[in-house]
Amino acid sequence: LWRLGYCAKLLKTNHFRAAASNTSFPAVWMLLAQHSGRIPGLFVVVKKSTFFTMPETVEDKTNPELYLPHPGVRGMTLLNREAFKRTVVVPALKVKKEIVHSVLKSLKQSVLQRPGLKRVVEDPEDEDSRFVILDPHKVPEFSLGESEQQALKQLNVHPEVSKYHLELSYENFKSEEILRAVLPEGQEVTSGFSRVGHIAHLNLRDHQLPYRHLIGQVIMDKNPGVTCVVNKTNIIDSTYRNFEMEVLAGENNLVTKVKENNIAYELDFSKVYWNPRLSTEHGRIVELLRAGDVLFDVFAGIGPFAIPAAKRKCRVFANDLNPESYTWLLHNCKLNKVDTKVKAFNMDGRDFLRGPVREELSKELPLLREGQKTAFHIVMNLPALAVEFLDVFRHLLVGEPCSPAGLPTVHCYGFSKHSNPARDIQERAEATLGTSLAGRCSTFPVRNVAPNKEMLCLSFQIPADVLYKRPCPDEAKPASKRLCTSQDSSEE
């Protein structure tokens, strides 16, 4: 039983998580058999049949590909829904219509459960009877087991199983089944996508590109509410964090509305950066904030950190270099009625840190009283480059350091392909800051971006000896003061 539990977990991880997994019943049990150990009488070896012809009727009692589309669709690049039709022979039980419900209840483990297919169909030769369609993988030899026969006997139903010709069409197949049947055998099938309002966003591989318009149409057909499918055609621009895209299917309307953590945003997906996979991370950072805290969002985008922070009654300074992101940031602040609580800027990140951020910290930090709970957070969500911006904090402020509790906390995002991503991003940050963060930082894994590429968040309070530059001595001469001013300007 323990092994079966382990196999179930393995099955869930290795099969149902993959978009192109083969979840047919015999294949599933074959996998379990490989990992279960020796359990006599439980598993049987099922021989997988191969299609060599294109018959209109397929009668293969143990074929794990029973519900695949017509094999003639292989290689199709322009979607022809009619070509997916086929007829398969499945087991069925003829019963009187008044006891159909009782039969379904008694045979619930053997009845066909496939979405989109009827379990009960009319008998064209007898209006008083119905056919209950059975799962061919549960009734492989067109005969019921002992327990099912006993259940039918109590209902006075003859347990004889009939052969029913079941018509399948394009509507009956799942998107991954359709794409697996169309793309060349042995090639990866990806039916996963990011949903951004009415837009489905794909990242197709090179071998999938000849089929891209068909893939787009299938995704749109099988996902209600999707009216536009796009494919990314280049890498993300590190300057404005957007990318070129091609519309594969549907309307050419890339202005959309999304909802994340109960907050609505509107955006032009072709001109600004939005990633629905970061929803959890946005929520995690915002949960660290308390009313009265101050948030500086250096690369704010359209506001997924800034707007929920403002709703938590924080004071927010949000910046983005992309003029389109800045425009949509202002729009979304108004949309969510926090436009009076967010000061928005359209500047380079370094200029924002050396300008509004330094000005606000210089004004606020000296006023902090012992025990005051106001916290300052600086979010730097530009994972391709953010670590390189950390040098701005070196002697950003002039004066005596505030209390350690008042030092700003930085949440800096980065990518890493290192075997130890946490150590890698910490060492890179230390090199840029010019100090050690050992024991003074935490690293949070955000998501796996690609094979061997991780996105992480490094959080730390800026050390006082990094953030502050000691002022010139009071007894210094005016010329010395002018020299200090000149040196400060050169560092900027």
Side-chain angles (χ1 to χ4, degrees), residues 427-492:
E427 290 177 351
R428 286 159 48 203
E430 291 172 337
T432 308
L433 288 167
T435 191
S436 172
L437 294 176
R440 297 192 286 185
C441 68
S442 62
T443 306
F444 186 84
V446 177
R447 70 186 188 96
N448 178 257
V449 178
N452 302 316
K453 185 177 181 180
E454 298 290 332
M455 178 178 174
L456 306 96
C457 177
L458 178 72
S459 297
F460 61 93
Q461 276 193 299
I462 308 174
D465 57 341
V466 171
L467 183 62
Y468 284 92
K469 179 181 180 181
R470 299 286 181 174
C472 293
D474 292 338
E475 66 273 17
K477 296 179 181 180
S480 300
K481 293 181 180 180
R482 287 197 298 272
L483 179 60
C484 277
T485 303
S486 174
Q487 289 174 342
D488 290 345
S489 300
S490 65
E491 287 184 7
E492 291 181 20

Side-chain angles (χ1 to χ4, degrees), residues 170-230:
Y170 174 82
E171 287 71 25
N172 300 131
F173 300 113
K174 303 173 186 177
S175 57
E176 58 266 32
E177 293 171 337
I178 292 172
L179 299 182
R180 192 185 308 127
V182 169
L183 268 65
E185 289 187 88
Q187 291 192 355
E188 180 186 4
V189 174
T190 301
S191 61
F193 58 88
S194 295
R195 179 80 178 263
V196 184
H198 68 275
I199 302 168
H201 168 219
L202 306 175
N203 288 324
L204 297 181
R205 306 288 181 86
D206 289 343
H207 72 272
Q208 298 165 336
L209 293 179
Y211 308 90
R212 62 188 183 279
H213 294 292
L214 179 144
I215 293 173
Q217 188 63 54
V218 171
I219 295 297
M220 195 166 68
D221 288 347
K222 298 297 180 178
N223 294 275
V226 171
T227 59
C228 176
V229 182
V230 301

Side-chain angles (χ1 to χ4, degrees), residues 241 278 281-282 284-289 294-301 303-306 309 316-320 349 352-353 357 376-383 386-387 389-390 393 408-413 455 457-460 462:
R241 292 198 296 175
L278 295 178
E281 180 61 13
H282 295 153
R284 184 183 74 88
I285 294 296
V286 172
E287 283 295 320
L288 301 176
L289 308 177
V294 180
L295 174 69
F296 301 102
D297 195 349
V298 185
F299 312 105
F305 288 113
V316 179
F317 298 77
N319 170 73
D320 203 279
F352 176 65
L353 289 167
V357 175
F376 297 84
H377 293 263
I378 303 174
V379 173
M380 305 175 68
N381 184 20
L382 183 64
V387 173
F389 283 72
L390 294 178
F393 295 118
T409 298
V410 173
H411 307 283
C412 179
Y413 291 85
M455 178 178 174
C457 177
L458 178 72
S459 297
F460 61 93
I462 308 174

Side-chain angles (χ1 to χ4, degrees), residues 256-258 263-268 272 274 301-304 307-308 311 324-339 342:
T256 188
K257 188 171 184 176
V258 297
I263 295 177
Y265 302 89
E266 293 179 352
L267 62 132
D268 185 335
V272 304
W274 180 265
I302 67 167
I307 292 172
K311 282 191 167 289
E324 291 288 342
S325 295
Y326 172 72
T327 299
W328 286 104
L329 171 63
L330 294 175
H331 174 81
N332 286 308
C333 286
K334 290 182 180 179
L335 180 67
N336 289 281
K337 301 179 180 179
V338 294
D339 48 306
V342 177

Side-chain angles (χ1 to χ4, degrees), residues 2 16 81 86 101 136 183 191 232 246 269 273 298 330 412 449 470 476:
W2 176 87
F16 294 122
R81 297 176 181 82
R86 72 182 308 185
H101 180 73
L183 268 65
S191 61
K232 183 170 73 172
E246 178 186 12
F269 190 55
Y273 178 80
V298 185
L330 294 175
C412 179
V449 178
R470 299 286 181 174

Side-chain angles (χ1 to χ4, degrees), residues 149-190:
Q149 292 188 36
Q150 288 297 326
L152 292 177
K153 186 176 181 180
Q154 295 179 6
L155 296 172
N156 294 318
V157 176
H158 194 277
E160 181 181 359
V161 176
S162 305
K163 294 181 179 180
Y164 183 84
H165 289 72
L166 182 64
E167 301 289 338
L168 299 177
S169 65
Y170 174 82
E171 287 71 25
N172 300 131
F173 300 113
K174 303 173 186 177
S175 57
E176 58 266 32
E177 293 171 337
I178 292 172
L179 299 182
R180 192 185 308 127
V182 169
L183 268 65
E185 289 187 88
Q187 291 192 355
E188 180 186 4
V189 174
T190 301

